[in-house]
Amino acid sequence: MHLYDYQIKGVEWMENNIKNNKGCLLSDEMGLGKTIQCVALLKKLYKDNYHQYFPCVILTPGSVMYNWLKELEKWKFKGSISVYHRSYLNSNLDADIIISTYNTFYNKNPESKWKTMILDEATIIKNSNTNISRRLLYLAPLIKNRICISAMPS
């Protein structure tokens, strides 16, 4: 498994932003590997300085939640991973990475201990008047490392 040159540049850019206490917005056309770039970044951060960047919560639409799990496993992320959704509400919330949907995260309101948050399909928060947006805006100052990814319409 390897990254393309443009994906390597994306990972390096995100790493530089995160290490300089800046957020990230990664946006491109669908299918160009935004998830893989984030997984590569998480692997690097886990290896470099685990305690500064984990635990991490990844919020996604339900349709791509298990794709994140599959990619983390395929790219051999070394830390623990847990899915927090519907029948998995008793999941290990002490895992290094928690993957959840926006709605489950909002409705079940797990404890905020996250050092990194990734929002997949982040256009869901563009309307600041929604409950999910308000909840995430409340949490934003409490979470040091924030990454939003979104596909641009082609």
Side-chain angles (χ1 to χ4, degrees):
M1 304 216 168
H2 75 283
L3 296 173
Y4 293 103
D5 289 342
Y6 71 91
Q7 293 171 323
I8 292 170
K9 288 178 184 175
V11 172
E12 289 170 349
W13 174 79
M14 287 191 294
E15 179 184 14
N16 182 58
N17 279 4
I18 292 296
K19 289 185 175 179
N20 286 297
N21 299 315
K22 298 178 182 176
C24 301
L25 172 59
L26 186 60
S27 181
D28 62 22
E29 294 180 21
M30 284 182 56
L32 293 180
K34 293 176 293 297
T35 302
I36 292 168
Q37 290 175 68
C38 288
V39 169
L41 174 69
L42 291 172
K43 282 183 64 171
K44 183 153 183 35
L45 295 175
Y46 190 83
K47 180 181 173 188
D48 289 352
N49 194 348
Y50 164 82
H51 295 291
Q52 189 172 348
Y53 305 106
F54 293 87
C56 170
V57 62
I58 302 171
L59 299 182
T60 74
S63 60
V64 296
M65 183 175 63
Y66 288 101
N67 183 58
W68 274 91
L69 180 61
K70 183 181 83 176
E71 292 297 340
L72 285 160
E73 290 171 346
K74 182 176 14 174
W75 285 78
K76 299 183 182 359
F77 178 77
K78 299 285 187 219
S80 57
I81 306 164
S82 187
V83 172
Y84 183 71
H85 185 255
R86 292 188 186 154
S87 60
Y88 299 102
L89 292 179
N90 292 325
S91 298
N92 177 12
L93 291 178
D94 292 323
D96 298 314
I97 294 178
I98 302 294
I99 306 168
S100 187
T101 63
Y102 288 97
N103 286 331
T104 300
F105 186 82
Y106 174 77
N107 291 327
K108 299 302 177 187
N109 197 15
E111 176 184 333
S112 177
K113 59 181 178 177
W114 321 110
K115 294 183 181 173
T116 301
M117 176 179 275
I118 298 176
L119 305 180
D120 193 357
E121 300 299 338
T123 54
I124 195 168
I125 63 167
K126 71 181 179 182
N127 180 349
S128 61
N129 294 320
T130 66
N131 289 336
I132 293 171
S133 291
R134 283 194 297 261
R135 172 77 176 134
L136 292 173
L137 284 171
Y138 167 77
L139 288 176
L142 306 175
I143 299 171
K144 182 177 178 186
N145 310 297
R146 298 177 303 272
I147 301 169
C148 293
I149 63 175
S150 185
M152 294 186 317
S154 46

